[in-house]
Amino acid sequence: HAHLMIQDLKNKLKYQNKELEEKNHKLDEWLQKEKELNRLKTGLVYMASHELRKPLTVISLYNSKLTGNYSVTETDRNEAKLQIDLSIKRMVHLLDDILIATKSEIGKLSFEPDLCGLTDCCKRMIQELEIIDQHKHTIEFMVVNDQQWVAVDEKLLHHVINNLISNALKYSPENTKVTIQLIYSEANIQFIIKDEGIGIFPSDIKQLFTPFHRGENVGRISGTGLGLSIVKECVELHRG
């Protein structure tokens, strides 16, 4: 009888230890998630105070020129309108990245594929990015085995293409070429971008997709460090 009681006690302790281990594991997961969310919050606060301030300053400056009492030439007015428009586009792009990064971090990023004319979608985005870039680079777009309709989430792919081309333009010297290939096959879709930019140090490769991490060689080029982490998430939702 005493032997049975001891065995029963051992079984209870074994069960309780297992239950405790599971709870500790869940607690570790929760703490890690909380740590990542705090890191995201800190990064977003930094972005709001630094990256958003730049386009807002430009808008304020050119708005003052347009609404001031002194005379403004037609050329000055057109330049002011262009710079305000470009600054608004940069802010919208930044806020889109913040929104999708936040949704991704809290597991709210949805994948909703539908039939999409991807080639035309890419052309429209490239045209818009050329305007934002003010035609400082040559963009060459090539399509292989063009297909009219493919089942993708256009909203997510917009983030992928936009971020990758923006990076290629941002980190490339003026008057260089950015080559974009869209390759369709039965099995998949490939999107390939080649530029003549500053490249990435080998030491930065391991953190390439870490939110807010930026390469050591970016110098004074502004950026959030969110782009590639967003690209990775959107591609993986497409099982890419």
Side-chain angles (χ1 to χ4, degrees):
H1 181 69
H3 175 74
L4 288 174
M5 285 179 67
I6 291 168
Q7 190 61 41
D8 186 45
L9 185 61
K10 282 182 179 178
N11 289 336
K12 281 182 180 178
L13 286 170
K14 189 177 179 182
Y15 172 78
Q16 285 174 345
N17 282 336
K18 188 179 178 183
E19 194 175 30
L20 188 61
E21 281 176 13
E22 287 175 358
K23 285 180 178 177
N24 281 337
H25 181 66
K26 285 179 181 177
L27 182 61
D28 285 341
E29 285 182 345
W30 180 83
L31 288 171
Q32 184 60 34
K33 193 70 180 174
E34 192 67 19
K35 188 178 177 182
E36 288 169 6
L37 285 171
N38 283 333
R39 186 171 178 273
L40 180 69
K41 288 174 190 173
T42 304
L44 294 181
V45 168
Y46 177 85
M47 280 171 54
S49 60
H50 288 77
E51 294 303 318
L52 282 172
R53 184 174 295 184
K54 294 170 186 175
L56 280 171
T57 302
V58 172
I59 291 170
S60 178
L61 176 67
Y62 281 101
N63 184 57
S64 297
K65 286 187 177 182
L66 289 176
T67 57
N69 294 324
Y70 50 89
S71 60
V72 179
T73 66
E74 189 65 27
T75 303
D76 289 339
R77 189 176 289 109
N78 290 336
E79 176 64 17
K81 286 179 179 177
L82 174 65
Q83 292 303 327
I84 288 171
D85 186 49
L86 293 176
S87 294
I88 290 169
K89 282 183 167 65
R90 290 187 185 106
M91 286 175 68
V92 169
H93 178 74
L94 180 62
L95 291 169
D96 278 346
D97 278 357
I98 289 172
L99 180 63
I100 200 165
T102 306
K103 282 185 174 180
S104 170
E105 198 65 41
I106 62 175
K108 296 279 187 179
L109 189 58
S110 60
F111 174 56
E112 299 168 0
D114 200 355
L115 288 178
C116 163
L118 186 57
T119 302
D120 288 340
C121 180
C122 286
K123 285 177 181 175
R124 287 195 302 273
M125 276 189 274
I126 289 167
Q127 286 170 356
E128 184 174 324
L129 287 167
E130 280 178 322
I131 294 168
I132 294 171
D133 182 56
Q134 296 180 274
H135 300 277
K136 291 175 183 174
H137 303 83
T138 302
I139 300 180
E140 189 176 284
F141 181 47
M142 295 178 287
V143 184
V144 181
N145 299 325
D146 196 7
Q147 292 182 28
Q148 188 172 2
W149 302 106
V150 290
V152 294
D153 187 318
E154 188 175 349
K155 179 167 56 49
L156 294 185
L157 274 189
H158 184 276
H159 288 288
V160 171
I161 296 163
N162 207 327
N163 271 303
L164 290 177
I165 299 176
S166 294
N167 270 6
L169 295 170
K170 186 195 297 185
Y171 297 106
S172 295
E174 286 187 25
N175 303 315
T176 57
K177 185 167 74 171
V178 173
T179 304
I180 302 159
Q181 285 182 287
L182 178 60
I183 304 171
Y184 295 93
S185 70
E186 288 184 15
N188 56 40
I189 298 165
Q190 280 184 291
F191 194 72
I192 302 169
I193 298 178
K194 183 180 179 181
D195 61 54
E196 299 169 41
I198 60 175
I200 302 167
F201 285 166
S203 56
D204 287 315
I205 294 290
K206 61 182 178 296
Q207 296 193 74
L208 199 59
F209 302 109
T210 303
F212 305 114
H213 178 80
R214 302 190 70 214
E216 291 179 34
N217 59 335
V218 297
R220 299 183 69 178
I221 302 171
S222 66
T224 64
L226 276 179
L228 287 181
S229 64
I230 288 170
V231 167
K232 183 174 184 286
E233 182 74 17
C234 293
V235 168
E236 287 177 345
L237 283 169
H238 281 86
R239 292 186 295 174

